[in-house]
Amino acid sequence: MIMNKIIIKIITVVSVVFVMLSCADLDLKPLSEGSSGNWYNSDEEFLMSLNDLMRRDFFPVDPMPITDDMFSRNNEEETRNGNMTSQSSQASNRWLTQYKAISRALKILDNARNSRANILPANLKQYEGEALFHLGFSYATLATYYGDVVLDTVGMTLAEAYSATRSPKREVLDYAYECLDAAAELLSPSHTTQLRPTSGAALAFKVRFALFHGDYQLAVEAAEKLISAGTYTLESSYGELFKKPYSNELIWFFQGNKDLRVESNDMFNTLNNYTTRIVGGACNRGPSIQLVCAYLCTDGLPIDESPLYNPRNFWANRDPRLEYTVQPYILKYDPNYADYVRRRANEADYAAKIAAGQVNYADSTLVNYYPKYFMYGYEFAPGPYNAKILNPSTHAMVANTDSKASNEHGAYNGFVMKKYVTEEWNDYRSLGTKAYNTFPYLRWAEILMSYVEAKNELEQCTQEILDNTINKVRERAYSESGLTYPRVMMGSQQELRTIIRMERRMEFPFEGIRYRDLLRWKIAEKVFNTAEYELARSWSGNASGDVDLISPPAGLVPHLKNWDDGNYPIGGIPQIDEDGLPDVAYMVSQGIQTVRWPFKFDKAKNYLWPIPADDMLVNQNLTQNPGY
């Protein structure tokens, strides 16, 4: 029986490798294509093959919960607890899909270069460029996560695939850069209809991967070509960028389709994890405490240095991107708190006067005075006293399932995501828990931030470069705030390095960038040897009424006290280190937060992912990464 299971497993793995690496065209194309003997004889056939390579499966996004930017109550993430193994589905799926893309791209490339079909040379040039684009992207992706990988530039036979060895990462990267450079020469600068590879996208991905691997001069050269081309611009509004179906800031992106019920990213496929409980969500995932503490103050200083920071009113005087990314709510020590509470208490009176025809009183309603504290059609108030919240459409107070005053599962860590949220999310259940936002896979702000970082690492940064890159990004963030942005001024390499790293974190949360940043900066060992934090599980015991302030449940008492003291859900002033990382561990000993999941990261092995065990089973020449 055991021997039979082993034989079955070997047959299964051999089949997978055959699909991946065989040069037989029939095994590499989608079912809608023709057989290997008569394919690639028309523009339609080339485009069908190239369109298949545009599936988002071939452009992996690191899951949102695998970094320190996101609280994830669902389960421990293997990238944060050191449990990834050679049998990890995450590691094996990425390896498999990238080699699928490579195998298909090589076949398209060969046919485009050697076509005898009656196809215009300009079209064949486009097809060749797109195939090279996919080759460059896939090989650079493999080198980024696995280091040394099998390098196939011509299309291996099955026998060759069984004995192939891993090529040095340097050789793989050089080939990937070569492909992206060639693609940039062959492709047009823009697409006019559906998303297709362009010269700009090829150069932009070269910037991303060259920066990751410390090839700073190559990153600079590619970025300067993009800057000179002038194809892309920053969207005028940071907050609106993530709600629009398209922007000229987007270099590579995926759009959702509501009619076809197709989402653009896995995050948008499980909205129940991100939406509030008041609209039926679970709010299992959201911004982490570390992320909230990482945003600078409006003077450009971190919260442990800025005189503007008030730990009892942590929303105040912060970079505007905090409130674009994390849903704000009013705190007890906000100067407007008394007025806010008064207006909420008078809401029923306003409703009666509106009903009597005195419509001018609508201007006095809470939502009109304090609109930023409302989301999903309700007031957002996760504080432990708020057993009820306002429904502005009825002017009535309803049970607040997003507060521990009414629900033990409310306010897991006190924060929910605002970035990407549109009005459609209010009724997400009617959409099958999906959202149809455009996902910004790579955008112009990343190129500007990558360019300034590369120049700084080369010790070539100037004030002019700062003004044309990081200061442009920061100026846009402040453009709707009415405030003057804090201009970044020249400093030492280490000073600028810290500023750049903190700026990237504020600019790109929940865009699949943070994990790679932690790896390339070699600070994952610091980040992932800390913990994930949440509020202690407790509630009032009353799901619909007010909190009993005379005899509140013992578990709720610390939350009430922390709110009264200005320590809810965070408190004090965490120290920010040279990498922009806030140390929030003290909040556990002070009874403000508790540890949800401990993190663990082995710097000797976890900077690379493991080579999948199944591939090593059928190819004894493959070696494993250290420690796996």
Side-chain angles (χ1 to χ4, degrees), residues 230-247:
T231 305
Y232 306 101
T233 57
L234 290 175
E235 179 69 30
S236 60
S237 169
Y238 180 83
E240 291 302 310
L241 170 63
F242 306 102
K243 301 176 184 180
K244 299 180 67 171
Y246 175 74
S247 166

Side-chain angles (χ1 to χ4, degrees), residues 283-442:
C283 221
N284 288 319
R285 296 175 180 172
S288 67
I289 296 166
Q290 295 95 318
L291 176 63
V292 172
C293 292
Y295 282 82
L296 301 174
C297 288
T298 52
D299 55 7
L301 296 175
I303 61 176
D304 64 337
E305 296 180 23
S306 174
L308 298 179
Y309 184 64
N310 179 359
R312 291 184 167 188
N313 187 22
F314 57 82
W315 299 111
N317 304 317
R318 303 291 294 280
D319 187 290
R321 284 168 291 192
L322 173 58
E323 292 191 5
Y324 284 131
T325 305
V326 185
Q327 174 59 35
Y329 48 91
I330 198 160
L331 298 168
K332 184 174 181 178
Y333 289 88
D334 188 299
N336 295 315
Y337 184 70
D339 181 64
Y340 182 93
V341 171
R342 178 184 64 82
R343 291 184 183 279
R344 183 168 57 186
N346 290 336
E347 190 77 17
D349 182 51
Y350 295 147
K353 292 182 178 180
I354 292 170
Q358 298 171 326
V359 292
N360 58 308
Y361 277 89
D363 295 332
S364 299
T365 58
L366 188 67
V367 68
N368 286 335
Y369 263 81
Y370 300 101
K372 70 178 181 178
Y373 298 131
F374 288 77
M375 73 179 315
Y376 299 115
Y378 293 87
E379 176 190 12
F380 183 66
Y385 283 98
N386 296 314
K388 294 183 178 181
I389 53 171
L390 178 67
N391 178 344
S393 65
T394 63
H395 307 282
M397 301 297 289
V398 297
N400 183 10
T401 49
D402 291 298
S403 166
K404 295 195 182 301
S406 294
N407 191 313
E408 63 181 324
H409 292 285
Y412 283 125
N413 75 340
F415 300 109
V416 297
M417 185 173 69
K418 183 178 180 181
K419 192 172 185 176
Y420 300 112
V421 176
T422 66
E423 288 187 4
E424 280 192 346
W425 290 38
N426 295 7
D427 192 24
Y428 76 93
R429 285 178 292 183
S430 69
L431 301 177
T433 75
K434 296 178 183 290
Y436 303 101
N437 301 62
T438 293
F439 183 74
Y441 200 92
L442 195 162

Side-chain angles (χ1 to χ4, degrees), residues 85 123 149 164 168 262 322-323 371 485 513 531:
T85 70
N123 291 356
V149 297
V262 175
L322 173 58
E323 292 191 5
Y485 78 94
I513 291 175

